[in-house]
Structures are given as C-alpha cells and as structure tokens.
Amino acid sequence: ENIRKMLVKANLLLKPEEMVSIVVVSCLAGGIIGFLLTQSILFVVMFAFVGMNVPGIILKARIKKRIKTINSQLGDTIAILSNSLKAGHSFFQAVDSVANEMTGPISEEFIKLQKEINLGGSTEMALENMVERVGSDDVELMVTAVMIQRQIGGNLAEILDNISNTIRQRVKMKGEVKTLT
C-alpha cells in the first residue's frame, strides 16, 4: 500500500509489484557488478545493497521534484480559481479553467479532479483524492478551505485570495531562507 501511494505521488504508472521487481533486479545487478569488479563477497553485498536502494532514492527524488513544481504553480492556480469565481463561474467551471490554462503537473491533477467529478464522484471526495495523490501541504490547505466553504458558506474567492497570498509569501520566505543558508 505504501509503495502504491508513493508511485501515485510520483505520477508513475507502475503497479507496486512492478516496483518490487525493479528493486529486485537492481539489487541483483548491483551484486553482479560488485562481483565483476572485486570478486569479494563483502563488496558483492555492499553493491547489492546500494543497487536495492537506488530505485527508492530515485522515486523519492521524483516525488520531491513534483511536489516542488506543484507548490510553485499553486499561487497562480489559486488566482485563476479566484478570478473565475469572481467572474461568476461555478467552482466546477473554475476547475475547468485551471485545467485548460495551466500546464504541468497541476493541470494534470485538475484534469483528474474533473474526471472524478464527471464520473459521479462527490466534489469533496475528488478533492480529498487530489490531496492524497499530490501529498503537498499547500494543496491540502487549499482543499481544506474549499471544503469548509462548501459546508458553511462564505466568499470562496476572497478565501482563495488570502490563501494565495499566504502560499506566495511562504514560497518567497523559503527561497530567502535557502539563499541565506
């Protein structure tokens, strides 16, 4: 189940069994390389261990890169949602605007969100699934605000503007901290 969740977050169309097979093959390849280079059991085990961990490291790096890309696009995404709502569009039409106007992983996620809603799923469940697929705290913040607004009412465009400003400030602050360190 954990492997499946990681593959979904990395947006890889692999089954967990296929990922396990890749790890096993990588482990064997590492062991064979270790044997061919040194012919020492100690190095065979070390190379096999390294080979076994390489797919997981690559997978985690891909997840981290995808989350970073999504977080960098989120400010613009929320602005599009907010502007669509201010123009009088429904939430679903605003989601459609994001899916059509944005590119990259955020667009893919909103297209998946649209498809889930079109197939008869509830908007709340589709939003929760998006949070699970993405794994970003910022996306979770946005989805939580949308779900609360849908339950108790209020001006969603204004709420999204506030969240957009907060996320942009966080991204700016993270950049400043990274530069200083």
Side-chain angles (χ1 to χ4, degrees), residues 5-37:
K5 286 180 182 178
M6 288 180 68
L7 290 170
V8 167
K9 286 181 183 179
N11 199 29
L12 288 175
L13 300 175
L14 291 174
K15 296 177 185 173
E17 298 84 9
E18 294 170 334
M19 184 63 185
V20 171
S21 298
I22 290 171
V23 169
V24 169
V25 168
S26 180
C27 178
L28 291 174
I32 290 170
I33 291 171
F35 179 76
L36 293 175
L37 292 177

PDB file of all heavy atoms in Angstrom, residues 5-37:
ATOM      1  N   LYS A   5       1.067   4.210  -2.883  1.00  0.00           N
ATOM      2  CA  LYS A   5       0.898   5.636  -2.601  1.00  0.00           C
ATOM      3  C   LYS A   5       2.086   6.449  -3.125  1.00  0.00           C
ATOM      4  O   LYS A   5       1.909   7.534  -3.674  1.00  0.00           O
ATOM      5  CB  LYS A   5       0.725   5.869  -1.099  1.00  0.00           C
ATOM      6  CG  LYS A   5      -0.626   5.449  -0.573  1.00  0.00           C
ATOM      7  CD  LYS A   5      -0.737   5.693   0.915  1.00  0.00           C
ATOM      8  CE  LYS A   5      -2.080   5.233   1.447  1.00  0.00           C
ATOM      9  NZ  LYS A   5      -2.192   5.425   2.907  1.00  0.00           N
ATOM     10  N   MET A   6       3.282   5.914  -2.953  1.00  0.00           N
ATOM     11  CA  MET A   6       4.465   6.622  -3.441  1.00  0.00           C
ATOM     12  C   MET A   6       4.471   6.700  -4.967  1.00  0.00           C
ATOM     13  O   MET A   6       4.839   7.722  -5.545  1.00  0.00           O
ATOM     14  CB  MET A   6       5.736   5.950  -2.927  1.00  0.00           C
ATOM     15  CG  MET A   6       5.973   6.164  -1.446  1.00  0.00           C
ATOM     16  SD  MET A   6       7.456   5.369  -0.843  1.00  0.00           S
ATOM     17  CE  MET A   6       8.720   6.313  -1.647  1.00  0.00           C
ATOM     18  N   LEU A   7       4.061   5.629  -5.631  1.00  0.00           N
ATOM     19  CA  LEU A   7       4.002   5.629  -7.092  1.00  0.00           C
ATOM     20  C   LEU A   7       2.968   6.638  -7.591  1.00  0.00           C
ATOM     21  O   LEU A   7       3.183   7.309  -8.607  1.00  0.00           O
ATOM     22  CB  LEU A   7       3.692   4.227  -7.616  1.00  0.00           C
ATOM     23  CG  LEU A   7       4.805   3.195  -7.455  1.00  0.00           C
ATOM     24  CD1 LEU A   7       4.297   1.801  -7.788  1.00  0.00           C
ATOM     25  CD2 LEU A   7       6.008   3.557  -8.296  1.00  0.00           C
ATOM     26  N   VAL A   8       1.850   6.752  -6.880  1.00  0.00           N
ATOM     27  CA  VAL A   8       0.814   7.726  -7.255  1.00  0.00           C
ATOM     28  C   VAL A   8       1.350   9.137  -7.069  1.00  0.00           C
ATOM     29  O   VAL A   8       1.162  10.004  -7.934  1.00  0.00           O
ATOM     30  CB  VAL A   8      -0.476   7.500  -6.438  1.00  0.00           C
ATOM     31  CG1 VAL A   8      -1.429   8.662  -6.578  1.00  0.00           C
ATOM     32  CG2 VAL A   8      -1.147   6.209  -6.861  1.00  0.00           C
ATOM     33  N   LYS A   9       2.039   9.399  -5.956  1.00  0.00           N
ATOM     34  CA  LYS A   9       2.592  10.729  -5.706  1.00  0.00           C
ATOM     35  C   LYS A   9       3.654  11.096  -6.733  1.00  0.00           C
ATOM     36  O   LYS A   9       3.820  12.258  -7.079  1.00  0.00           O
ATOM     37  CB  LYS A   9       3.188  10.812  -4.300  1.00  0.00           C
ATOM     38  CG  LYS A   9       2.146  10.892  -3.215  1.00  0.00           C
ATOM     39  CD  LYS A   9       2.773  10.995  -1.851  1.00  0.00           C
ATOM     40  CE  LYS A   9       1.695  11.002  -0.786  1.00  0.00           C
ATOM     41  NZ  LYS A   9       2.262  11.068   0.562  1.00  0.00           N
ATOM     42  N   ALA A  10       4.387  10.099  -7.221  1.00  0.00           N
ATOM     43  CA  ALA A  10       5.403  10.349  -8.245  1.00  0.00           C
ATOM     44  C   ALA A  10       4.804  10.392  -9.644  1.00  0.00           C
ATOM     45  O   ALA A  10       5.502  10.687 -10.606  1.00  0.00           O
ATOM     46  CB  ALA A  10       6.479   9.268  -8.180  1.00  0.00           C
ATOM     47  N   ASN A  11       3.522  10.081  -9.744  1.00  0.00           N
ATOM     48  CA  ASN A  11       2.802  10.045 -11.019  1.00  0.00           C
ATOM     49  C   ASN A  11       3.421   9.029 -11.986  1.00  0.00           C
ATOM     50  O   ASN A  11       3.562   9.279 -13.174  1.00  0.00           O
ATOM     51  CB  ASN A  11       2.738  11.438 -11.660  1.00  0.00           C
ATOM     52  CG  ASN A  11       1.647  11.541 -12.691  1.00  0.00           C
ATOM     53  OD1 ASN A  11       0.630  10.858 -12.599  1.00  0.00           O
ATOM     54  ND2 ASN A  11       1.856  12.381 -13.690  1.00  0.00           N
ATOM     55  N   LEU A  12       3.808   7.881 -11.442  1.00  0.00           N
ATOM     56  CA  LEU A  12       4.337   6.786 -12.249  1.00  0.00           C
ATOM     57  C   LEU A  12       3.245   5.744 -12.449  1.00  0.00           C
ATOM     58  O   LEU A  12       2.583   5.339 -11.503  1.00  0.00           O
ATOM     59  CB  LEU A  12       5.542   6.131 -11.560  1.00  0.00           C
ATOM     60  CG  LEU A  12       6.824   6.938 -11.539  1.00  0.00           C
ATOM     61  CD1 LEU A  12       7.880   6.210 -10.720  1.00  0.00           C
ATOM     62  CD2 LEU A  12       7.333   7.197 -12.936  1.00  0.00           C
ATOM     63  N   LEU A  13       3.082   5.314 -13.666  1.00  0.00           N
ATOM     64  CA  LEU A  13       2.043   4.336 -13.981  1.00  0.00           C
ATOM     65  C   LEU A  13       2.605   2.925 -13.844  1.00  0.00           C
ATOM     66  O   LEU A  13       2.642   2.158 -14.802  1.00  0.00           O
ATOM     67  CB  LEU A  13       1.501   4.581 -15.387  1.00  0.00           C
ATOM     68  CG  LEU A  13       0.871   5.956 -15.613  1.00  0.00           C
ATOM     69  CD1 LEU A  13       0.481   6.134 -17.059  1.00  0.00           C
ATOM     70  CD2 LEU A  13      -0.313   6.146 -14.703  1.00  0.00           C
ATOM     71  N   LEU A  14       3.046   2.606 -12.645  1.00  0.00           N
ATOM     72  CA  LEU A  14       3.563   1.277 -12.333  1.00  0.00           C
ATOM     73  C   LEU A  14       2.705   0.650 -11.248  1.00  0.00           C
ATOM     74  O   LEU A  14       2.152   1.350 -10.403  1.00  0.00           O
ATOM     75  CB  LEU A  14       5.004   1.350 -11.822  1.00  0.00           C
ATOM     76  CG  LEU A  14       6.104   1.750 -12.792  1.00  0.00           C
ATOM     77  CD1 LEU A  14       7.419   1.890 -12.044  1.00  0.00           C
ATOM     78  CD2 LEU A  14       6.248   0.727 -13.892  1.00  0.00           C
ATOM     79  N   LYS A  15       2.637  -0.662 -11.270  1.00  0.00           N
ATOM     80  CA  LYS A  15       1.999  -1.381 -10.180  1.00  0.00           C
ATOM     81  C   LYS A  15       3.043  -1.582  -9.085  1.00  0.00           C
ATOM     82  O   LYS A  15       4.241  -1.638  -9.366  1.00  0.00           O
ATOM     83  CB  LYS A  15       1.495  -2.742 -10.665  1.00  0.00           C
ATOM     84  CG  LYS A  15       0.415  -2.654 -11.711  1.00  0.00           C
ATOM     85  CD  LYS A  15       0.020  -4.037 -12.179  1.00  0.00           C
ATOM     86  CE  LYS A  15      -0.983  -3.952 -13.319  1.00  0.00           C
ATOM     87  NZ  LYS A  15      -1.252  -5.261 -13.901  1.00  0.00           N
ATOM     88  N   PRO A  16       2.609  -1.732  -7.832  1.00  0.00           N
ATOM     89  CA  PRO A  16       3.570  -1.982  -6.761  1.00  0.00           C
ATOM     90  C   PRO A  16       4.422  -3.231  -7.020  1.00  0.00           C
ATOM     91  O   PRO A  16       5.618  -3.241  -6.692  1.00  0.00           O
ATOM     92  CB  PRO A  16       2.691  -2.164  -5.519  1.00  0.00           C
ATOM     93  CG  PRO A  16       1.451  -1.407  -5.829  1.00  0.00           C
ATOM     94  CD  PRO A  16       1.253  -1.533  -7.313  1.00  0.00           C
ATOM     95  N   GLU A  17       3.827  -4.252  -7.637  1.00  0.00           N
ATOM     96  CA  GLU A  17       4.572  -5.475  -7.938  1.00  0.00           C
ATOM     97  C   GLU A  17       5.697  -5.189  -8.933  1.00  0.00           C
ATOM     98  O   GLU A  17       6.786  -5.762  -8.829  1.00  0.00           O
ATOM     99  CB  GLU A  17       3.645  -6.549  -8.519  1.00  0.00           C
ATOM    100  CG  GLU A  17       2.549  -7.002  -7.585  1.00  0.00           C
ATOM    101  CD  GLU A  17       1.309  -6.101  -7.600  1.00  0.00           C
ATOM    102  OE1 GLU A  17       1.202  -5.198  -8.465  1.00  0.00           O
ATOM    103  OE2 GLU A  17       0.455  -6.278  -6.719  1.00  0.00           O
ATOM    104  N   GLU A  18       5.436  -4.302  -9.875  1.00  0.00           N
ATOM    105  CA  GLU A  18       6.468  -3.942 -10.845  1.00  0.00           C
ATOM    106  C   GLU A  18       7.604  -3.183 -10.174  1.00  0.00           C
ATOM    107  O   GLU A  18       8.778  -3.385 -10.512  1.00  0.00           O
ATOM    108  CB  GLU A  18       5.865  -3.105 -11.980  1.00  0.00           C
ATOM    109  CG  GLU A  18       4.881  -3.872 -12.845  1.00  0.00           C
ATOM    110  CD  GLU A  18       4.107  -3.009 -13.819  1.00  0.00           C
ATOM    111  OE1 GLU A  18       3.918  -1.796 -13.544  1.00  0.00           O
ATOM    112  OE2 GLU A  18       3.671  -3.554 -14.848  1.00  0.00           O
ATOM    113  N   MET A  19       7.269  -2.330  -9.224  1.00  0.00           N
ATOM    114  CA  MET A  19       8.301  -1.591  -8.499  1.00  0.00           C
ATOM    115  C   MET A  19       9.161  -2.547  -7.673  1.00  0.00           C
ATOM    116  O   MET A  19      10.385  -2.397  -7.627  1.00  0.00           O
ATOM    117  CB  MET A  19       7.656  -0.523  -7.603  1.00  0.00           C
ATOM    118  CG  MET A  19       8.650   0.353  -6.895  1.00  0.00           C
ATOM    119  SD  MET A  19       9.629   1.318  -8.044  1.00  0.00           S
ATOM    120  CE  MET A  19      10.763   2.092  -6.926  1.00  0.00           C
ATOM    121  N   VAL A  20       8.519  -3.507  -7.037  1.00  0.00           N
ATOM    122  CA  VAL A  20       9.282  -4.503  -6.272  1.00  0.00           C
ATOM    123  C   VAL A  20      10.202  -5.280  -7.210  1.00  0.00           C
ATOM    124  O   VAL A  20      11.365  -5.554  -6.875  1.00  0.00           O
ATOM    125  CB  VAL A  20       8.332  -5.449  -5.489  1.00  0.00           C
ATOM    126  CG1 VAL A  20       9.097  -6.605  -4.885  1.00  0.00           C
ATOM    127  CG2 VAL A  20       7.595  -4.676  -4.409  1.00  0.00           C
ATOM    128  N   SER A  21       9.722  -5.610  -8.398  1.00  0.00           N
ATOM    129  CA  SER A  21      10.554  -6.312  -9.383  1.00  0.00           C
ATOM    130  C   SER A  21      11.747  -5.458  -9.786  1.00  0.00           C
ATOM    131  O   SER A  21      12.863  -5.975  -9.934  1.00  0.00           O
ATOM    132  CB  SER A  21       9.736  -6.658 -10.628  1.00  0.00           C
ATOM    133  OG  SER A  21       8.683  -7.519 -10.305  1.00  0.00           O
ATOM    134  N   ILE A  22      11.531  -4.167  -9.958  1.00  0.00           N
ATOM    135  CA  ILE A  22      12.633  -3.264 -10.308  1.00  0.00           C
ATOM    136  C   ILE A  22      13.672  -3.236  -9.197  1.00  0.00           C
ATOM    137  O   ILE A  22      14.884  -3.263  -9.453  1.00  0.00           O
ATOM    138  CB  ILE A  22      12.093  -1.848 -10.609  1.00  0.00           C
ATOM    139  CG1 ILE A  22      11.304  -1.863 -11.914  1.00  0.00           C
ATOM    140  CG2 ILE A  22      13.220  -0.830 -10.674  1.00  0.00           C
ATOM    141  CD1 ILE A  22      10.545  -0.587 -12.203  1.00  0.00           C
ATOM    142  N   VAL A  23      13.221  -3.219  -7.940  1.00  0.00           N
ATOM    143  CA  VAL A  23      14.139  -3.220  -6.804  1.00  0.00           C
ATOM    144  C   VAL A  23      14.947  -4.514  -6.783  1.00  0.00           C
ATOM    145  O   VAL A  23      16.170  -4.497  -6.581  1.00  0.00           O
ATOM    146  CB  VAL A  23      13.371  -3.014  -5.477  1.00  0.00           C
ATOM    147  CG1 VAL A  23      14.264  -3.277  -4.277  1.00  0.00           C
ATOM    148  CG2 VAL A  23      12.783  -1.618  -5.422  1.00  0.00           C
ATOM    149  N   VAL A  24      14.291  -5.645  -7.021  1.00  0.00           N
ATOM    150  CA  VAL A  24      14.984  -6.943  -7.016  1.00  0.00           C
ATOM    151  C   VAL A  24      16.016  -7.003  -8.139  1.00  0.00           C
ATOM    152  O   VAL A  24      17.161  -7.415  -7.927  1.00  0.00           O
ATOM    153  CB  VAL A  24      13.969  -8.111  -7.128  1.00  0.00           C
ATOM    154  CG1 VAL A  24      14.670  -9.427  -7.390  1.00  0.00           C
ATOM    155  CG2 VAL A  24      13.129  -8.187  -5.862  1.00  0.00           C
ATOM    156  N   VAL A  25      15.627  -6.573  -9.333  1.00  0.00           N
ATOM    157  CA  VAL A  25      16.561  -6.587 -10.470  1.00  0.00           C
ATOM    158  C   VAL A  25      17.728  -5.648 -10.203  1.00  0.00           C
ATOM    159  O   VAL A  25      18.892  -5.986 -10.497  1.00  0.00           O
ATOM    160  CB  VAL A  25      15.818  -6.207 -11.777  1.00  0.00           C
ATOM    161  CG1 VAL A  25      16.796  -5.926 -12.903  1.00  0.00           C
ATOM    162  CG2 VAL A  25      14.854  -7.298 -12.165  1.00  0.00           C
ATOM    163  N   SER A  26      17.453  -4.493  -9.637  1.00  0.00           N
ATOM    164  CA  SER A  26      18.518  -3.544  -9.314  1.00  0.00           C
ATOM    165  C   SER A  26      19.469  -4.116  -8.266  1.00  0.00           C
ATOM    166  O   SER A  26      20.688  -3.941  -8.357  1.00  0.00           O
ATOM    167  CB  SER A  26      17.897  -2.236  -8.822  1.00  0.00           C
ATOM    168  OG  SER A  26      18.869  -1.303  -8.493  1.00  0.00           O
ATOM    169  N   CYS A  27      18.910  -4.814  -7.296  1.00  0.00           N
ATOM    170  CA  CYS A  27      19.735  -5.464  -6.265  1.00  0.00           C
ATOM    171  C   CYS A  27      20.640  -6.519  -6.897  1.00  0.00           C
ATOM    172  O   CYS A  27      21.847  -6.570  -6.613  1.00  0.00           O
ATOM    173  CB  CYS A  27      18.835  -6.080  -5.198  1.00  0.00           C
ATOM    174  SG  CYS A  27      19.699  -6.960  -3.894  1.00  0.00           S
ATOM    175  N   LEU A  28      20.067  -7.347  -7.766  1.00  0.00           N
ATOM    176  CA  LEU A  28      20.862  -8.378  -8.443  1.00  0.00           C
ATOM    177  C   LEU A  28      21.930  -7.752  -9.336  1.00  0.00           C
ATOM    178  O   LEU A  28      23.069  -8.230  -9.374  1.00  0.00           O
ATOM    179  CB  LEU A  28      19.952  -9.295  -9.261  1.00  0.00           C
ATOM    180  CG  LEU A  28      19.033 -10.217  -8.461  1.00  0.00           C
ATOM    181  CD1 LEU A  28      18.080 -10.956  -9.397  1.00  0.00           C
ATOM    182  CD2 LEU A  28      19.842 -11.186  -7.626  1.00  0.00           C
ATOM    183  N   ALA A  29      21.550  -6.700 -10.052  1.00  0.00           N
ATOM    184  CA  ALA A  29      22.519  -6.029 -10.924  1.00  0.00           C
ATOM    185  C   ALA A  29      23.663  -5.445 -10.103  1.00  0.00           C
ATOM    186  O   ALA A  29      24.839  -5.545 -10.499  1.00  0.00           O
ATOM    187  CB  ALA A  29      21.820  -4.938 -11.733  1.00  0.00           C
ATOM    188  N   GLY A  30      23.341  -4.843  -8.965  1.00  0.00           N
ATOM    189  CA  GLY A  30      24.388  -4.313  -8.091  1.00  0.00           C
ATOM    190  C   GLY A  30      25.309  -5.406  -7.600  1.00  0.00           C
ATOM    191  O   GLY A  30      26.534  -5.244  -7.567  1.00  0.00           O
ATOM    192  N   GLY A  31      24.722  -6.537  -7.216  1.00  0.00           N
ATOM    193  CA  GLY A  31      25.545  -7.667  -6.762  1.00  0.00           C
ATOM    194  C   GLY A  31      26.442  -8.196  -7.868  1.00  0.00           C
ATOM    195  O   GLY A  31      27.617  -8.500  -7.634  1.00  0.00           O
ATOM    196  N   ILE A  32      25.920  -8.305  -9.075  1.00  0.00           N
ATOM    197  CA  ILE A  32      26.723  -8.798 -10.207  1.00  0.00           C
ATOM    198  C   ILE A  32      27.850  -7.817 -10.525  1.00  0.00           C
ATOM    199  O   ILE A  32      28.996  -8.233 -10.755  1.00  0.00           O
ATOM    200  CB  ILE A  32      25.813  -9.023 -11.440  1.00  0.00           C
ATOM    201  CG1 ILE A  32      24.900 -10.226 -11.181  1.00  0.00           C
ATOM    202  CG2 ILE A  32      26.642  -9.228 -12.704  1.00  0.00           C
ATOM    203  CD1 ILE A  32      23.803 -10.405 -12.211  1.00  0.00           C
ATOM    204  N   ILE A  33      27.545  -6.526 -10.520  1.00  0.00           N
ATOM    205  CA  ILE A  33      28.585  -5.521 -10.767  1.00  0.00           C
ATOM    206  C   ILE A  33      29.660  -5.596  -9.690  1.00  0.00           C
ATOM    207  O   ILE A  33      30.862  -5.544  -9.983  1.00  0.00           O
ATOM    208  CB  ILE A  33      27.971  -4.109 -10.859  1.00  0.00           C
ATOM    209  CG1 ILE A  33      27.130  -3.989 -12.123  1.00  0.00           C
ATOM    210  CG2 ILE A  33      29.047  -3.034 -10.819  1.00  0.00           C
ATOM    211  CD1 ILE A  33      26.306  -2.719 -12.206  1.00  0.00           C
ATOM    212  N   GLY A  34      29.222  -5.728  -8.437  1.00  0.00           N
ATOM    213  CA  GLY A  34      30.185  -5.865  -7.341  1.00  0.00           C
ATOM    214  C   GLY A  34      31.070  -7.087  -7.508  1.00  0.00           C
ATOM    215  O   GLY A  34      32.282  -7.038  -7.259  1.00  0.00           O
ATOM    216  N   PHE A  35      30.483  -8.198  -7.951  1.00  0.00           N
ATOM    217  CA  PHE A  35      31.260  -9.423  -8.172  1.00  0.00           C
ATOM    218  C   PHE A  35      32.246  -9.256  -9.326  1.00  0.00           C
ATOM    219  O   PHE A  35      33.407  -9.672  -9.229  1.00  0.00           O
ATOM    220  CB  PHE A  35      30.332 -10.609  -8.450  1.00  0.00           C
ATOM    221  CG  PHE A  35      31.053 -11.888  -8.707  1.00  0.00           C
ATOM    222  CD1 PHE A  35      31.621 -12.595  -7.655  1.00  0.00           C
ATOM    223  CD2 PHE A  35      31.203 -12.372 -10.000  1.00  0.00           C
ATOM    224  CE1 PHE A  35      32.306 -13.780  -7.888  1.00  0.00           C
ATOM    225  CE2 PHE A  35      31.881 -13.542 -10.246  1.00  0.00           C
ATOM    226  CZ  PHE A  35      32.441 -14.257  -9.185  1.00  0.00           C
ATOM    227  N   LEU A  36      31.781  -8.648 -10.415  1.00  0.00           N
ATOM    228  CA  LEU A  36      32.656  -8.477 -11.579  1.00  0.00           C
ATOM    229  C   LEU A  36      33.809  -7.521 -11.294  1.00  0.00           C
ATOM    230  O   LEU A  36      34.907  -7.699 -11.830  1.00  0.00           O
ATOM    231  CB  LEU A  36      31.853  -7.982 -12.783  1.00  0.00           C
ATOM    232  CG  LEU A  36      30.837  -8.955 -13.372  1.00  0.00           C
ATOM    233  CD1 LEU A  36      30.030  -8.285 -14.473  1.00  0.00           C
ATOM    234  CD2 LEU A  36      31.526 -10.208 -13.883  1.00  0.00           C
ATOM    235  N   LEU A  37      33.591  -6.531 -10.459  1.00  0.00           N
ATOM    236  CA  LEU A  37      34.637  -5.556 -10.161  1.00  0.00           C
ATOM    237  C   LEU A  37      35.631  -6.052  -9.119  1.00  0.00           C
ATOM    238  O   LEU A  37      36.831  -5.792  -9.241  1.00  0.00           O
ATOM    239  CB  LEU A  37      34.020  -4.231  -9.693  1.00  0.00           C
ATOM    240  CG  LEU A  37      33.238  -3.427 -10.725  1.00  0.00           C
ATOM    241  CD1 LEU A  37      32.632  -2.180 -10.085  1.00  0.00           C
ATOM    242  CD2 LEU A  37      34.131  -3.026 -11.892  1.00  0.00           C
TER     243      LEU A  37
END
